[in-house]
Every structure is written in structure tokens, then in C-alpha cells.
Amino acid sequence: GSTNLPQPRVRRAAGDTMETILKLAIGSFRLQNGIFEIESQGKTPFDARGQNLNVALQYEPGGPRYGGQISVQQLDLGAAGYRSVWSVAATAAFERNRIAITAAKLTTGDSVVQLAGAIENLAAPHGAFRFDARVNAAEAGHALRIKLLERGIVEVAGIVEWAGASQ
């Protein structure tokens, strides 16, 4: 069989050796007037700007897939009247019909969220992610617009499954 996953132009010796094909560092970026939408269930406008975006991906012919690290320091997100600044570090793999996050850590203030999982079948996407979050209650209350959450720590862990529209 074959895939439509592009291979690097320079061929290396056969085997499972990895080749760095993308090493990207961007000092700052800005996304304005973005729209976030899942399965036509409503559109949420958002803006984002960040600093120190780093991407390092290697081609793994044994997959075939691209795998590596992605990080952003000071990712400033704004949506639905709420704004927060995050640091993001993730290890990911991009395959022909799958995006896997083997480990991701998102931090803001005193809050930390760790997750891992995958989105499968990109033509009819569905997926599952394990998460573990330790969140400052005041930060969560502000984001969720719940005034009763003013202090303390909220800890929650579990699995989120998304069946997709066709499931």
C-alpha cells in the first residue's frame, strides 16, 4: 500500500532512521478574527498571539509519519469575552489519517493541564484524550464566569471522547 503523506525530497538509506525536516522558530505571531467551529455546532470568534513558537519535526519512514515537539511561550488567547495567557509544550505525531498528541502540557498562572490522545480518521474525525488538570479555582471561576469559585485548587482527571458527527 501507499499513503499520501509527503516524504522528504532527499532520500536516506532505508530503515527507521529519522530525518529532521522542519525546524522552525518564530519570535512572535498574531492571528486575528479567527473562527473556532466543531461540526457546525456554532462559531466562536477568537484571537491569538504568541511568542517563541518552536517546531521541530522529524520524518519517520517506518510510520510513515512526522513526529516531534511543538512549543509556544506566552500564547495569549481571547474568545467569548475571556482572555488568558498560556505556555504550551507538546510532543506530537502526524500520520496519514491520524494526529497523535503523545504528551502536552498547558500552563497558565497557577494552573496546569496535561493531556495525551489522538484524533483518528481525518475524513470523519473522532478521538479520545486522557487529561489531568490542577487548576487554580479563581482562574477557573473567571474563565467560566462563576463568581463562587474564588480560592483553592480544583483537581480533575479523566478521558474525553469525541465521537464525531458520523459516529
Side-chain angles (χ1 to χ4, degrees):
S2 65
T3 72
N4 64 352
L5 194 65
Q7 296 181 359
R9 291 182 188 195
V10 177
R11 296 273 177 141
R12 303 275 179 169
D16 283 339
T17 58
M18 294 192 315
E19 176 181 358
T20 299
I21 57 114
L22 175 64
K23 196 167 196 177
L24 173 72
I26 297 176
S28 63
F29 63 92
R30 180 180 205 112
L31 175 64
Q32 294 178 290
N33 302 318
I35 298 288
F36 181 77
E37 179 179 23
I38 295 179
E39 297 178 359
S40 301
Q41 297 297 314
K43 297 178 180 180
T44 301
F46 75 94
D47 293 322
R49 66 177 183 245
Q51 295 179 353
N52 303 318
L53 169 65
N54 288 290
V55 178
L57 296 178
Q58 297 83 32
Y59 178 70
E60 302 170 16
R65 68 184 196 166
Y66 294 92
Q69 292 76 39
I70 303 167
S71 66
V72 180
Q73 301 304 313
Q74 294 187 342
L75 176 61
D76 184 342
L77 294 174
Y82 176 70
R83 184 154 229 101
S84 62
V85 178
W86 294 81
S87 290
V88 178
T91 302
F94 302 90
E95 300 173 13
R96 181 180 141 316
N97 204 20
R98 181 175 192 258
I99 300 171
I101 306 295
T102 48
K105 183 176 182 180
L106 298 87
T107 58
T108 184
D110 293 328
S111 301
V112 177
V113 178
Q114 297 184 77
L115 61 95
I119 298 173
E120 310 279 348
N121 188 7
L122 301 179
H126 61 278
F129 286 87
R130 289 182 332 275
F131 67 92
D132 186 358
R134 181 176 167 81
V135 180
N136 177 290
E139 292 171 1
H142 180 68
L144 299 172
R145 298 186 176 141
I146 300 173
K147 293 184 181 192
L148 296 175
L149 296 176
E150 295 177 1
R151 61 181 176 272
I153 298 292
V154 176
E155 293 186 37
V156 62
I159 297 174
V160 173
E161 293 185 6
W162 171 43
S166 63
Q167 301 285 319

